[in-house]
């Protein structure tokens, strides 16, 4: 092949690989392996006690909270009232901490479903509102499978050869009914396994495979550090790396055998110690529950509307009518 043709092929392969990596949400990321469902929520910043920004983003999601910022107080309250009706799942006229937690988790996962919606048409080739394994495989690996000779001398060959069976294994784990065809919910579990309980073992296994370079089925301390830090020269390790070594010894390696097995990896990357949505729901109830019956009426929520949804109209004093038609 002429040099120019090989260059174009290399570019095409690079773009294809980039597309594969972009469309597949990896269960873990380099340097920060800890997987946190509701990751959009995160920790409450200590300086947010007065602005309520954290509460707004938790209750509405980041995008909708920006929309509410542009509404007048009356408009915010009107929309909040409609949201309260949706949160009250059992229709008893009260919003419990559990109902609020479920709502917050749903809001925080909305970005995941939005992501799936954006790529759905790229894979659902026959437009039957399902994605079969064959459809996904052809959309993602079709060129590689159809032109294997072009990959034999390419560094991409090993990457594709490794990713294909790994994707198939993950797809089958997400495919609950075993028909090798994914519904939207199953495909969401495939792309975002960290968000689904039945996919947690896949997250752990893929993490192990990523870090376990000697293939012994465990992660030793050097492999643990190498996943976070590339030692390009022979100089001393930064302080944070030394700290991570201590973390490995003191908190990661629970049975003190010098390596992490799958149970220890699960404990590390899928912590069960703190539920941000639960904490935020309790906070909102505590701050709004005037009669201290541990549940909220619509009136109690609307009385404290600024904590739930807010409006920057009073802060900014802007003429909001100029954007009113766009909302």
């Amino acid at each position: 092949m002429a040099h120019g043709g090989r260059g174009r092929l290399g570019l095409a392969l690079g773009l294809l690989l980039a597309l594969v990596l972009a469309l597949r949400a990896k269960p873990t990321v380099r340097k920060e392996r800890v997987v946190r469902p509701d990751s959009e929520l995160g920790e409450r910043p200590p300086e947010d006690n007065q602005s309520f920004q954290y509460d707004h983003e938790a209750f509405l999601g980041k995008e909708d909270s920006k929309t509410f910022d542009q509404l007048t107080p009356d408009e915010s309250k009107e929309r909040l009232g409609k949201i309260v009706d949706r949160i009250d799942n059992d229709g008893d006229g009260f919003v419990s901490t559990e109902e609020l937690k479920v709502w917050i988790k749903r809001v925080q996962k909305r970005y995941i479903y939005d992501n799936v919606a954006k790529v759905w048409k790229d894979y659902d080739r026959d437009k039957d509102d399902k994605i079969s394994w064959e459809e996904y495989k052809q959309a993602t690996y079709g060129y590689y499978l159809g032109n294997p000779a072009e990959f034999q001398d390419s560094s991409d060959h090993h990457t594709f050869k490794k990713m294909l069976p790994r994707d198939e294994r993950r797809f089958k784990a997400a495919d609950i009914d075993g028909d090798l065809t994914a519904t939207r919910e199953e495909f969401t579990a495939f792309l975002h396994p960290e968000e689904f309980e039945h996919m947690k073992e896949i997250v752990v296994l893929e993490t192990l495979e990523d870090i376990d370079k000697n293939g012994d089925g465990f992660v030793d301390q050097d492999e643990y550090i190498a996943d976070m830090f590339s030692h390009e020269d022979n100089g001393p390790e930064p302080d944070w790396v030394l700290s991570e070594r201590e973390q490995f010894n003191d908190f990661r390696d629970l049975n003190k055998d010098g390596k992490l097995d799958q149970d220890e990896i699960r404990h590390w990357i899928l912590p069960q110690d703190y539920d941000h949505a639960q904490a935020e729901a309790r906070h909102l109830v505590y701050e709004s529950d005037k009669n201290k019956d541990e549940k909220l009426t619509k009136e109690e929520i609307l009385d404290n509307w600024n904590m739930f949804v807010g409006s920057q109209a009073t802060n900014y004093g802007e003429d909001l009518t100029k954007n009113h038609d766009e909302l």
Side-chain angles (χ1 to χ4, degrees):
M1 181 184 293
H3 178 74
R6 183 176 294 275
R8 287 191 295 274
L9 175 60
L11 177 61
L13 294 180
L15 290 173
L16 180 59
L17 181 59
L19 178 64
V20 170
L21 294 176
L23 292 180
R24 283 188 61 247
K26 292 193 68 177
T28 51
V29 293
R30 192 169 180 81
K31 293 186 184 292
E32 176 53 79
R33 286 280 174 183
V34 179
V35 175
R36 294 190 184 278
D38 311 315
S39 56
E40 289 286 284
L41 195 51
E43 300 284 352
R44 170 184 290 277
E47 70 277 4
D48 188 60
N49 292 333
Q50 300 302 320
S51 72
F52 302 135
Q53 180 180 350
Y54 180 92
D55 299 304
H56 298 168
E57 292 182 358
F59 186 74
L60 296 168
K62 289 185 178 180
E63 292 305 313
D64 280 0
S65 70
K66 294 176 184 177
T67 299
F68 270 81
D69 283 346
Q70 305 307 315
L71 300 178
T72 66
D74 286 343
E75 289 171 328
S76 289
K77 291 177 185 178
E78 181 183 357
R79 293 198 187 187
L80 175 58
K82 295 177 181 178
I83 291 174
V84 172
D85 293 337
R86 294 168 61 190
I87 298 174
D88 180 17
N89 284 328
D90 58 12
D92 65 351
F94 297 97
V95 171
S96 66
T97 301
E98 180 64 23
E99 287 173 327
L100 205 46
K101 182 188 78 171
V102 169
W103 170 264
I104 291 171
K105 284 183 174 290
R106 176 183 171 187
V107 166
Q108 297 308 315
K109 287 185 178 181
R110 188 163 52 198
Y111 77 98
I112 297 170
Y113 291 98
D114 288 346
N115 167 258
V116 172
K118 289 176 183 176
V119 303
W120 182 265
K121 64 179 182 299
D122 296 326
Y123 298 114
D124 182 17
R125 294 187 163 189
D126 62 7
K127 309 305 178 186
D128 65 347
D129 206 33
K130 297 178 181 179
I131 295 173
S132 68
W133 165 244
E134 284 301 317
E135 284 179 308
Y136 177 81
K137 183 172 71 173
Q138 289 303 317
T140 307
Y141 300 102
Y143 187 84
Y144 164 71
L145 295 171
N147 303 274
E150 296 186 20
F151 286 82
Q152 292 306 314
D153 299 326
S154 167
S155 61
D156 294 325
H157 172 68
H158 176 72
T159 302
F160 278 93
K161 190 174 181 179
K162 175 184 176 182
M163 287 174 64
L164 179 55
R166 180 159 153 161
D167 268 358
E168 184 173 13
R169 181 182 65 194
R170 188 197 278 197
F171 191 97
K172 288 179 177 179
D175 178 27
I176 294 178
D177 59 9
D179 63 354
L180 287 180
T181 300
T183 62
R184 285 183 182 266
E185 188 74 3
E186 288 171 334
F187 196 64
T188 303
F190 169 67
L191 290 182
H192 298 276
E194 71 281 358
E195 300 289 346
F196 293 81
E197 192 62 36
H198 69 283
M199 298 294 289
K200 296 294 177 67
E201 294 308 310
I202 287 290
V203 175
V204 172
L205 182 57
E206 291 183 359
T207 301
L208 172 62
E209 292 171 347
D210 284 344
I211 307 177
D212 175 25
K213 300 305 181 184
N214 63 15
D216 67 350
F218 299 92
V219 173
D220 60 38
Q221 187 183 101
D222 288 338
E223 290 170 330
Y224 173 82
I225 295 299
D227 182 62
M228 306 176 183
F229 174 68
S230 179
H231 211 154
E232 297 179 353
D233 54 42
N234 294 321
E237 292 180 339
D239 289 344
W240 71 266
V241 174
L242 298 177
S243 177
E244 281 295 339
R245 289 191 182 278
E246 293 177 0
Q247 286 279 325
F248 182 93
N249 290 329
D250 296 341
F251 302 107
R252 309 290 185 230
D253 181 16
L254 300 176
N255 61 8
K256 308 305 177 187
D257 65 351
K259 56 190 178 183
L260 306 185
D261 57 27
Q262 289 195 34
D263 285 338
E264 289 167 320
I265 292 173
R266 185 183 303 104
H267 189 270
W268 163 35
I269 68 171
L270 298 169
Q272 302 295 317
D273 55 341
Y274 191 73
D275 187 332
H276 291 288
Q278 176 76 15
E280 175 63 11
R282 287 176 175 172
H283 166 72
L284 290 172
V285 170
Y286 177 80
E287 294 294 338
S288 307
D289 183 17
K290 289 184 177 181
N291 62 5
K292 302 306 176 186
D293 62 352
E294 299 184 351
K295 55 187 177 182
L296 302 179
T297 63
K298 180 185 286 191
E299 182 180 2
E300 285 176 321
I301 293 175
L302 293 179
D303 283 347
N304 200 23
W305 67 277
N306 203 40
M307 172 170 279
F308 286 86
V309 296
S311 168
Q312 295 185 6
T314 54
N315 295 340
Y316 290 161
E318 293 179 343
D319 178 10
L320 299 174
T321 58
K322 60 184 179 183
N323 294 323
H324 186 76
D325 293 338
E326 300 174 10
L327 298 175

